Amino acid sequence: MKMVKLTHYAKRYSAAFDKFVNAPHMFKRLWEVNSNIKPLQKRQRVTLVRVIRVMLAAMDAENNQVGICNTDAMHGITHVNLMKRYKGMFGEFITKGRWYRAIKQLVNAGYLISKSALTINGTDESPLIRSIASLKEFTKLFFSDLNLEHKKDIRESRAKCVASRISQSRSSIWYGYKIFNKIRKHTKQGHGEPVTYDEVPSQYQAGIFSSA
């Protein structure tokens, strides 16, 4: 098993969420995300705890987004890459189906935002638009249920990470990063029309998106 160094705040969040395995009632909205009649089984809860740990290890301290702060901009991490990290951290392979079910459960519980995205480069006359690693962001609800944000050590750990990023001239801003939802309309003949894209949803803070 590959050792992955977590920041202090990531360790604290992960340890708090580990309780979900044996005390799922502490995170009831996630425990009953599929149905309050048939809550998540223990093996499913173990998977969710591990997926959260993998993502916390790559979370930025400033905006709660999963990605890498580089000098030019913040870059996302693909789900495939995160699955590889899962194997490195826990010594076992996770299937795409199992991974994406966990992601869907976290999204449906209100703990995670995971949206497809585009990056826009080039010129106005000849823009270059391509799909890139989706936006993955932990929500305020997730941290509210963990109930650790008021802790002094958490605030100090986050502040140190932000200060370190700034001192190294690394950016936490997405450059030309746009969220989209695929919409495919079907004709009577059954042939799909070209995929179109929605505007950036209003619930996202405009401040995390820079203009292309």
Side-chain angles (χ1 to χ4, degrees):
M1 184 182 300
K2 182 180 178 181
M3 296 299 293
V4 175
K5 185 177 180 180
L6 274 71
T7 58
H8 175 76
Y9 66 79
K11 289 179 182 177
R12 293 274 273 126
Y13 293 143
S14 183
F17 192 68
D18 284 350
K19 297 175 183 177
F20 181 57
V21 174
N22 295 315
H25 59 277
M26 296 180 65
F27 302 91
K28 186 175 181 181
R29 72 183 82 249
L30 181 58
W31 185 32
E32 299 179 348
V33 68
N34 291 339
S35 168
N36 59 6
I37 299 175
K38 189 178 180 180
L40 297 178
Q41 299 176 3
K42 186 172 183 178
R43 61 181 177 80
Q44 294 173 303
R45 302 198 300 271
V46 169
T47 295
L48 284 164
V49 162
R50 291 182 172 184
V51 168
I52 284 287
R53 188 175 181 85
V54 170
M55 299 186 76
L56 283 174
M59 188 190 82
D60 177 61
E62 196 166 4
N63 53 30
N64 302 328
Q65 293 173 8
V66 178
I68 302 172
C69 299
N70 287 337
T71 54
D72 57 339
M74 179 133 177
H75 297 277
I77 300 176
T78 65
H79 285 290
V80 171
N81 187 290
L82 288 168
M83 284 186 272
K84 291 178 181 177
R85 294 186 179 207
Y86 181 103
K87 185 177 186 300
M89 291 175 69
F90 299 104
E92 67 173 36
F93 175 77
I94 183 169
T95 65
K96 285 186 177 180
R98 188 171 154 215
W99 174 269
Y100 284 111
R101 277 194 298 273
I103 294 298
K104 184 178 180 180
Q105 287 163 349
L106 291 169
V107 170
N108 289 345
Y111 283 171
L112 183 73
I113 294 170
S114 181
K115 290 286 187 177
S116 299
L118 302 172
T119 185
I120 305 173
N121 296 309
T123 64
D124 292 339
E125 294 75 19
S126 182
L128 299 175
I129 303 174
R130 62 188 178 87
S131 177
I132 57 176
S134 64
L135 171 74
K136 304 168 189 70
E137 178 183 348
F138 286 103
T139 65
K140 291 182 179 179
L141 180 60
F142 174 69
F143 295 107
S144 175
D145 282 1
L146 288 180
N147 193 29
L148 291 174
E149 293 305 279
H150 63 288
K151 298 293 185 180
K152 182 179 179 181
D153 63 314
I154 295 289
R155 298 197 305 269
E156 290 180 345
S157 178
R158 279 183 177 263
K160 286 180 180 178
C161 289
V162 173
S164 176
R165 176 190 64 76
I166 293 174
S167 68
Q168 297 175 49
S169 300
R170 291 182 288 117
S171 175
S172 64
I173 302 297
W174 300 100
Y175 177 77
Y177 198 79
K178 301 295 183 184
I179 303 301
F180 71 88
N181 292 314
K182 291 183 179 180
I183 302 174
R184 184 177 292 279
K185 298 178 180 179
H186 295 277
T187 63
K188 293 181 179 180
Q189 291 75 22
H191 300 293
E193 296 178 359
V195 175
T196 58
Y197 305 99
D198 283 344
E199 296 294 328
V200 177
S202 59
Q203 66 265 32
Y204 291 96
Q205 296 180 358
I208 67 172
F209 302 102
S210 64
S211 59

